[in-house]
Amino acid sequence: MAEANRPSGEIYKNPREAALLFLLPGIIQGLAVWGLIEQADQDAPPPLVVALLFFALVAPAAHFLTTTIGMRLKAGLFAGILGLAIAVLYFLAEASFGNPGESTEAVLAVSFFANLLICYIAVPFFRTVFERQQPANHYPSLFEFAWNLPVIGAAAGLFTLAFWAVLGIWAALFNLIGIDLFEDIFFDAHFAFPATFGAMGAAIGIVREREGIVLALRNVLFALLKVLSPILASATVLFAVSALLSGLDQLWEGWSAATLMVSAIAMAVILSNAVIGDEGRPDSTILRWSVRLQAFVLPLLAIFALYAMYLRLSEYGLTVARIYALIIVLFASAYAIVWSVSALRREGYGFLRQANIVLAGILFSVAVLVQTPILNTWAISAADQVARLKDGRISAEEFDYAYFQFDLGSAGKRALQQLKEDENLPNREIILAEINRVENAQSRYAFRRESVRDRDRLTSLIERGRLELVPANHKLTADLVSFLEEERLISNTCGAETRAGRCLLLRTQAFELDTDQYVLFSTWGRETDTINTQLLYQEENVWRTLYGAQLPVPSADQDALFESLRSGEATPGTVTYRTLDIGNQQVIFLDGPNTARAQMRVSGSTDEAE
């Protein structure tokens, strides 16, 4: 009964109780996490082990953040149920999206961030309803508990770093006198894991017990964020005006515009929430107007982000990562709309606070759904990419078979099997050959390495129009083909699809040599203003290369030069060099340093070359 009469929100009675409720569970948590990590330390650990690891991380942390005197049982049940729910959601996600019997990195990443959101949203709602005994939409309590979490986490993290700094100094001091015992103990996993988690648990308990510290740190944080809010508001408003006046074409060049716009919206929402607080309205006129003005600009940033996503998706289609990026952009757009609507209302702060609660609930629901078959982004991505293949928006050669085999889990493998069974596919022979190769590959890297080798084969380069032979009906000897492929003389320049360079191999008898001679003309891309030249010839049955000068030919005139090569207008010429012999050394004088280097490699020490 004495415990029930203590003030609501008090964490523990004495240090002994604190050790039992925070330090000891933290040590046990560290041991459990260490043991599970040892089990999961393999390329594809069993999903059950990873699910148990989620439980070991979430349940004790939820207990540390919610337990108070008078709420031990409720907080314990909440922590256990939350940890179990997180573990089940991950296990369900692996069963629905991943490969049977093994964990998938992409599924693990999605579950980690989704479950982090679930926990962050669930804890404030639980404390509002059960600790404060307020309705779930009581914004002051939700606001307080939500903003307390990062403050408590940061303080506990700093304490844990300081704890390890002390242990490091301890070990270093004894190392000075030749005693390594403490270094061996402290930095061994058997000690490090329980010590770290025990320190973190104890720190959370101490910080939560001293509520005044949390409030003071939070007030300092709010004061700093309020300084930044008008600065960001000015930046976003000036950017929006400048973008509309100067044109939007530059927005879609360089780094992802969608990423930058979403980051700006997220930062604006965080800063504005710190400004408006949990009730009433901001006291400062500058802060009120900066928040209101920025709210009008946020929808424009959201439109920019949505358009950037549209450009990306229309060109490349859906993937798992792009679907989640789209979800993030949609949520950022929803927040932008809510804030702009609130700015239009005379007293929109109450509307804004309730809208924050609704959006948090929607975000919680989406974080749950993305880990269930209801929102199977893997299957959605597979279906979209297959549709693009079938209607010709992507060719059989460019289709990412490795993505289906190694990244899309069971949905990707099902899609590949359906492609194998579809007899109406365009270029079906190529598709079947690629699927067979990817299914036999040990990893995506092995498959792509083999794909690059096939792509760089001379026959492939010729078939794909990357290499042109002049005369066209000339057959290259086997030893020349091997030389070109081994030296990657052509594939490095013209093999990559993204480079779009052009290569022309001209057979010629322009030089006084007893063997076949070829001149390779190549460019690094369609927009370059230079053409590289190389002379290929045999010496003692060994193919050799001489690098010629780079021809300064504007890209607009290159077609005419290549046409001259096709029509046989390349004829031999003679160049006379001015040289100066100095003992066994020779200096060759030419017009420019770049040309001199190229000609010196070709000419060696002769006075005249054809």
Side-chain angles (χ1 to χ4, degrees):
M1 294 295 295
E3 179 175 301
N5 293 330
R6 293 183 64 85
S8 174
E10 197 169 358
I11 310 304
Y12 53 81
K13 299 177 184 178
N14 51 57
R16 179 183 299 176
E17 189 175 47
L20 290 174
L21 292 171
F22 294 93
L23 178 61
L24 182 59
I27 293 173
I28 296 173
Q29 180 190 25
L31 290 170
V33 169
W34 169 72
L36 290 168
I37 287 178
E38 287 289 303
Q39 293 294 319
D41 190 16
Q42 48 186 295
D43 291 338
L48 180 59
V49 173
V50 181
L52 291 174
L53 183 58
F54 268 113
F55 179 85
L57 290 171
V58 171
H63 159 75
F64 297 151
L65 293 169
T66 57
T67 186
T68 60
I69 293 176
M71 274 190 53
R72 301 292 187 222
L73 180 60
K74 291 179 181 178
L77 287 174
F78 168 75
I81 292 171
L82 181 63
L84 181 62
I86 295 300
V88 169
L89 281 172
Y90 166 75
F91 198 80
L92 179 61
E94 280 289 359
S96 302
F97 317 139
N99 298 314
E102 61 183 39
S103 61
T104 308
E105 288 185 5
V107 176
L108 180 59
V110 169
S111 289
F112 176 81
F113 288 107
N115 290 329
L116 187 65
L117 280 174
I118 290 172
C119 295
Y120 187 81
I121 295 172
V123 168
F125 277 94
F126 171 80
R127 295 191 67 187
T128 297
V129 173
F130 291 97
E131 182 179 332
R132 290 283 173 83
Q133 296 184 348
Q134 296 288 346
N137 64 344
H138 187 251
Y139 193 79
S141 296
L142 292 172
F143 183 88
E144 175 187 346
F145 292 140
W147 277 96
N148 283 356
L149 286 177
V151 174
I152 294 171
L158 289 174
F159 172 82
T160 305
L161 290 175
F163 168 76
W164 273 105
V166 170
L167 292 186
I169 293 172
W170 181 346
L173 287 173
F174 279 87
N175 280 346
L176 290 176
I177 56 177
I179 299 176
D180 299 333
L181 173 64
F182 295 107
E183 181 181 7
D184 295 338
I185 293 175
F186 294 160
F187 297 101
D188 185 82
H190 297 78
F191 177 87
F193 275 90
T196 300
F197 282 88
M200 183 72 75
I204 292 174
I206 294 170
V207 173
R208 286 191 60 213
E209 173 64 20
R210 288 150 181 80
E211 185 178 10
I213 296 176
V214 178
L215 294 177
L217 291 174
R218 196 181 72 191
N219 288 336
V220 171
L221 177 62
F222 283 174
L224 295 174
L225 296 181
K226 288 176 182 178
V227 173
L228 296 176
S229 182
I231 299 174
L232 181 63
S234 302
T236 52
V237 171
L238 289 174
F239 164 77
V241 173
S242 300
L244 292 175
L245 292 177
S246 63
L248 305 178
D249 292 340
Q250 295 182 359
L251 283 178
W252 324 122
E253 300 177 359
W255 194 44
S256 172
T259 301
L260 194 54
M261 299 302 159
V262 169
S263 299
I265 294 172
M267 183 61 70
V269 169
I270 292 171
L271 296 181
S272 298
N273 269 312
V275 169
I276 67 172
D278 58 351
E279 57 184 355
R281 65 176 189 168
D283 296 328
S284 170
T285 303
I286 295 177
L287 291 178
R288 285 201 304 271
W289 277 103
S290 67
V291 169
R292 187 178 293 270
L293 188 61
Q294 183 169 251
F296 286 118
V297 176
L298 293 184
L300 185 60
L301 301 184
I303 292 172
F304 291 161
L306 287 169
Y307 183 64
M309 283 301 304
Y310 163 76
L311 292 177
R312 189 73 175 174
L313 295 179
S314 61
E315 184 174 1
Y316 299 107
L318 294 174
T319 62
V320 174
R322 289 178 198 137
I323 292 175
Y324 288 117
L326 179 60
I327 291 174
I328 293 172
V329 170
L330 290 175
F331 266 103
S333 302
Y335 273 99
I337 293 171
V338 165
W339 280 81
S340 62
V341 171
S342 69
L344 293 172
R345 301 165 68 102
R346 185 167 185 176
E347 289 294 335
Y349 300 114
F351 166 79
L352 185 59
R353 295 182 180 109
Q354 292 306 308
N356 279 341
I357 298 174
V358 173
L359 289 172
I362 297 174
L363 186 59
F364 182 92
S365 301
V366 172
V368 172
L369 291 177
V370 295
Q371 301 181 78
T372 69
I374 298 175
L375 190 54
N376 189 337
T377 54
W378 275 255
I380 295 171
S381 301
D384 180 73
Q385 293 296 327
V386 168
R388 290 170 58 83
L389 175 65
K390 289 183 176 180
D391 62 22
R393 283 177 290 171
I394 185 172
S395 67
E397 294 83 1
E398 296 173 337
F399 189 72
D400 195 348
Y401 302 92
Y403 181 66
F404 277 67
Q405 178 71 15
F406 300 108
D407 294 336
L408 281 183
S410 54
K413 292 179 174 62
R414 286 196 302 269
L416 290 179
Q417 185 61 35
Q418 291 168 3
L419 287 174
K420 290 167 66 175
E421 297 171 357
D422 190 342
E423 298 182 356
N424 298 319
L425 283 174
N427 299 313
R428 187 167 185 267
E429 295 79 8
I430 298 176
I431 294 173
L432 291 178
E434 291 297 305
I435 292 176
N436 182 63
R437 286 202 314 108
V438 78
E439 288 179 340
N440 292 323
Q442 296 298 316
S443 67
R444 65 184 301 109
Y445 306 105
F447 171 75
R448 286 183 174 172
R449 188 166 56 247
E450 182 64 28
S451 297
V452 169
R453 281 199 295 265
D454 288 347
R455 182 202 70 190
D456 291 347
R457 297 192 190 282
L458 221 60
T459 54
S460 173
L461 293 170
I462 295 172
E463 290 173 356
R464 293 187 290 124
R466 295 291 177 177
L467 173 63
E468 181 181 356
L469 299 180
V470 176
N473 58 354
H474 177 66
K475 300 297 183 183
L476 302 178
T477 60
D479 56 343
L480 176 58
V481 171
S482 298
F483 174 74
L484 291 171
E485 290 181 348
E486 289 173 5
E487 297 296 323
R488 300 178 62 84
L489 294 178
I490 296 176
S491 60
N492 281 341
T493 305
C494 301
E497 299 291 339
T498 55
R499 193 169 290 142
R502 61 166 67 181
C503 289
L504 186 147
L505 189 62
L506 173 68
R507 183 174 182 268
T508 179
Q509 294 295 331
F511 307 101
E512 294 181 356
L513 299 172
D514 297 331
T515 61
D516 286 343
Q517 308 144 45
Y518 296 86
V519 178
L520 176 63
F521 298 85
S522 61
T523 66
W524 285 99
R526 294 291 182 180
E527 302 301 325
T528 57
D529 291 331
T530 57
I531 297 178
N532 302 309
T533 60
Q534 295 167 263
L535 172 64
L536 310 176
Y537 69 98
Q538 272 188 315
E539 185 176 75
E540 298 179 353
N541 295 322
V542 177
W543 281 98
R544 302 187 183 280
T545 304
L546 294 176
Y547 289 85
Q550 288 187 336
L551 302 179
V553 183
S555 58
D557 299 332
Q558 290 178 7
D559 287 338
L561 186 140
F562 277 87
E563 184 58 36
S564 297
L565 292 172
R566 297 186 193 100
S567 60
E569 296 180 18
T571 57
T574 300
V575 177
T576 300
Y577 297 144
R578 294 178 177 86
T579 66
L580 180 66
D581 293 333
I582 308 171
N584 61 354
Q585 301 293 326
Q586 185 178 62
V587 181
I588 302 177
F589 297 95
L590 296 175
D591 292 337
N594 292 333
T595 305
R597 285 198 294 271
Q599 292 291 352
M600 286 176 72
R601 284 198 294 269
V602 173
S603 62
S605 62
T606 60
D607 290 341
E608 184 173 280
E610 288 190 286

